Amino acid sequence: MSKFFTKPNLTPYTPGEQPREKLIKLNTNESPFPPPQSVIDAVSGAARSLNLYSDPQGTNLRAALASYHGVAPENITLGNGSDETLAFSFAAFGGAERPFVFPDITYGFYPVFAALFNVPYTEIPLRSDLTVASRDYVGIGKNIVLANPNAPTGIALPPGDIEQIVTSNPDNLVIIDEAYADFAGADVSAVPLTSTYSNLLVVRTFSKSRNLAGARLGYAVGNAALIADLETIRYSFNPYNINSLTLAAGAAALEENDYYAQNWAEITQTRSLTISRLRTLGLTVLPSSANFVFAKHPTISGPDLLAKLRERGILVRNLGQPRIRDWLRITIGAEEQMETLFNVLEEIK
Ligand code: PMP
């Protein structure tokens, strides 16, 4: 650390490893499928104009997202990954008098954003079965951020529970992080509630369900006043936060809903297979509404199993928090990758 650093106590987020060697990569919840050809073509077309700045308003992409979600463009703001949109949300809506609450086991970036922007926060323990006790958030009187489905558990709350949390906290903001909602079935998203409730912000990403993790594209849907506040932060930081290749990729991706629906169906099918095969091998596996499963071996510790899988060419994630030390988060890859995982687990036990 240099003597100039003003944030010596900041513990940054640790991203999952992006290995150079060829491993079966089940550690960062990417899609095993490539983007569709039309997205690749749109990116190469946009490359011809890289001498120009990108559209700071993301006009075409916001219009396409608005039409996809049945809202207006002023209900949407774009982020360089949903991480950026979440960061802007903590910056915009958090403060000494505006604390946040979130579960003790959830996306590890929330406490980092809170620390970065000096936002006080409280962690609410998940129940012993690792589900979110939604009643704990009813009328809590603080800003709330919930991943739905939650990560790394994969368990989703029904929209009725979200609505109850939103209506019981009218003077606080509720942020629902829907990074994995496309894998949860049509009825889980809280986006339709955003037209009714001015204190609800839904954050989504193209990283997982649109096969575009490397493009870095996220967005939020909400009431126009909330979105205007996020735009104020965005324009105070980097108005060109979405590069022109990514803007083109996102708009083209929204024209390929059939392709993605097929991918999601395949992933959810492989997820069912994975859950049953892992259970047959003796692992405890939580139900999942996401593109990953959360599993625990009957005899081998989390860190040991992580190491044993890595030695055999399979990369998964152990989040390291004491309460979930023995659990591994395993991305649902292509079926043949999962077959290799089952075979390796069979060999290890
Ligand atoms: N929210 C959750 C719950 C996540 O797991 C992730 C992925 N690490 C993100 C948000 C951020 O994803 P991205 O920045 O790629 O949109």
Side-chain angles (χ1 to χ4, degrees):
M1 190 190 310
S2 80
K3 65 182 182 183
F4 307 109
F5 194 45
T6 58
K7 297 184 171 53
N9 297 321
L10 188 64
T11 307
Y13 177 70
T14 309
E17 181 184 351
Q18 304 299 337
R20 295 197 173 272
E21 67 268 44
K22 208 162 167 28
L23 296 171
I24 294 182
K25 195 173 177 309
L26 306 176
N27 68 329
T28 48
N29 300 340
E30 291 137 328
S31 173
F33 305 113
Q37 188 57 43
S38 61
V39 169
I40 295 166
D41 294 344
V43 169
S44 42
R48 282 194 292 270
S49 305
L50 276 176
N51 55 313
L52 303 177
Y53 280 105
S54 58
D55 173 8
Q57 298 184 39
T59 314
N60 293 341
L61 176 53
R62 281 170 67 222
L65 277 168
S67 141
Y68 179 72
H69 285 298
V71 298
E74 57 265 31
N75 299 121
I76 292 176
T77 181
L78 303 175
N80 191 309
S82 57
D83 280 338
E84 189 184 63
T85 303
L86 289 163
F88 288 173
S89 304
F90 274 82
F93 306 115
E97 306 300 316
R98 287 284 176 182
F100 268 75
V101 293
F102 42 82
D104 62 339
I105 292 168
T106 189
Y107 185 32
F109 229 139
Y110 305 151
V112 179
F113 293 139
L116 179 61
F117 297 114
N118 294 315
V119 178
Y121 65 92
T122 314
E123 294 174 317
I124 301 187
L126 295 185
R127 294 193 189 98
S128 57
D129 62 358
L130 300 182
T131 57
V132 171
S134 67
R135 262 179 284 113
D136 290 351
Y137 298 83
V138 171
I140 197 163
K142 292 179 179 170
N143 289 331
I144 296 166
V145 58
L146 290 172
N148 197 40
N150 195 18
T153 63
I155 299 171
L157 285 175
D161 287 22
I162 304 285
E163 188 165 10
Q164 200 188 6
I165 292 169
V166 171
T167 53
S168 66
N169 291 287
D171 298 323
N172 288 96
L173 181 65
V174 179
I175 301 173
I176 304 298
D177 176 352
E178 294 194 346
Y180 303 102
D182 285 327
F183 305 106
D187 304 330
V188 161
S189 178
V191 168
L193 300 175
T194 58
S195 54
T196 309
Y197 301 109
S198 58
N199 62 327
L200 171 64
L201 187 74
V202 178
V203 177
R204 298 177 63 99
T205 179
F206 282 66
S207 293
K208 322 291 182 180
S209 58
R210 298 260 170 190
N211 315 1
L212 285 172
R216 312 303 302 126
L217 183 60
Y219 60 102
V221 187
N223 168 272
L226 290 177
I227 297 298
D229 296 337
L230 289 170
E231 287 288 278
T232 300
I233 301 289
R234 194 173 69 82
Y235 274 81
S236 305
F237 182 76
N238 178 11
Y240 306 109
N241 61 334
I242 315 297
N243 70 72
S244 44
L245 305 184
T246 295
L247 286 175
L254 290 169
E255 301 280 323
E256 292 283 359
N257 292 322
D258 292 348
Y259 174 80
Y260 290 113
Q262 215 178 317
N263 288 179
W264 305 344
E266 214 167 307
I267 287 167
T268 49
Q269 212 176 326
T270 309
R271 181 179 72 201
S272 306
L273 171 80
T274 303
I275 292 172
S276 72
R277 292 291 291 278
L278 295 182
R279 285 180 179 159
T280 306
L281 285 162
L283 282 83
T284 305
V285 189
L286 296 185
S288 171
S289 298
N291 67 336
F292 56 84
V293 293
F294 205 43
K296 187 163 119 62
H297 197 276
T299 52
I300 308 173
S301 79
D304 283 355
L305 187 55
L306 179 88
K308 283 177 192 291
L309 289 173
R310 195 175 207 258
E311 279 162 21
R312 292 162 179 81
I314 300 176
L315 204 51
V316 298
R317 194 98 201 258
N318 176 243
L319 279 310
Q321 270 173 278
R323 215 181 148 186
I324 50 170
R325 181 179 174 271
D326 286 330
W327 292 80
L328 296 182
R329 192 193 68 190
I330 305 169
T331 303
I332 303 299
E335 196 176 325
E336 63 273 17
Q337 295 178 307
M338 305 318 282
E339 289 292 348
T340 307
L341 171 75
F342 310 146
N343 293 337
V344 164
L345 283 169
E346 181 75 50
E347 196 184 293
I348 289 171
K349 89 175 178 183

